[in-house]
Amino acid sequence: MDTVSLLETIRSHLLSTFQLAFDEIFPQKEDSAEEFVNTRIDNLGRLITAYKTVFQRVGVQSRTELEKTFKLHYRNPDVQDALEELLDYETRWDKTLVSIDQRLLLDSLSTPLAAGDALPALVFRDVRTSEAIPLAQFVGSRVCFVLLRHFA
């Protein structure tokens, strides 16, 4: 891939999607973490799609291969600037998700858990019906929970 095409791919897909994420998706300081989860968390998938598109256009299968492609073009100052901006966005993204996690923890627990503590009564929300379902309802049944945590 030539340098101009690589730059266009990075700018048009990753950098613009990160900017959109910070402008529209992430909560403002006055928003509660619960409000964020209830109204905007489903939009986090935008970055997954953006990375997929970049991988396809550059012709790579992994982040390691993408970084090797970046290294081939790194002498170009525009590529350096675009990559620096991308790394800044990724760092900001990680910090924002950690902040949301901490706010959710503070909102949901009066005291943080320590090793050996009993799990508090957890309530799940059925995304289709918005019905609250206590974890205790699942005890003794054959249920497999899949907890998704990381989006990047």
Side-chain angles (χ1 to χ4, degrees), residues 42-97:
D42 56 337
N43 290 317
L44 294 178
R46 290 180 186 177
L47 275 170
I48 296 169
T49 303
Y51 273 100
K52 176 186 170 221
T53 301
V54 169
F55 279 28
Q56 288 173 336
R57 290 199 178 185
V58 175
V60 297
Q61 297 292 317
S62 68
R63 175 65 184 236
T64 303
E65 290 179 25
L66 183 63
E67 289 175 359
K68 286 179 183 176
T69 303
F70 291 158
K71 287 178 184 178
L72 294 174
H73 300 277
Y74 198 72
R75 288 189 176 156
N76 184 308
D78 291 334
V79 171
Q80 292 174 14
D81 291 344
L83 293 178
E84 184 176 323
E85 187 176 353
L86 176 61
L87 293 175
D88 287 345
Y89 272 129
E90 288 178 339
T91 299
R92 187 173 162 203
W93 174 266
D94 291 341
K95 287 179 181 178
T96 302
L97 290 179

Side-chain angles (χ1 to χ4, degrees), residues 94-109:
D94 291 341
K95 287 179 181 178
T96 302
L97 290 179
V98 167
S99 171
I100 290 168
D101 281 349
Q102 290 171 344
R103 288 171 42 197
L104 283 171
L105 178 66
L106 293 176
D107 288 352
S108 65
L109 297 174

Side-chain angles (χ1 to χ4, degrees), residues 21-22 24-28 31 36 40 44 93 96-97 100:
F22 286 108
E24 294 181 3
I25 299 172
F26 286 122
Q28 303 303 311
D31 291 345
F36 169 74
R40 293 188 298 269
L44 294 178
W93 174 266
T96 302
L97 290 179
I100 290 168

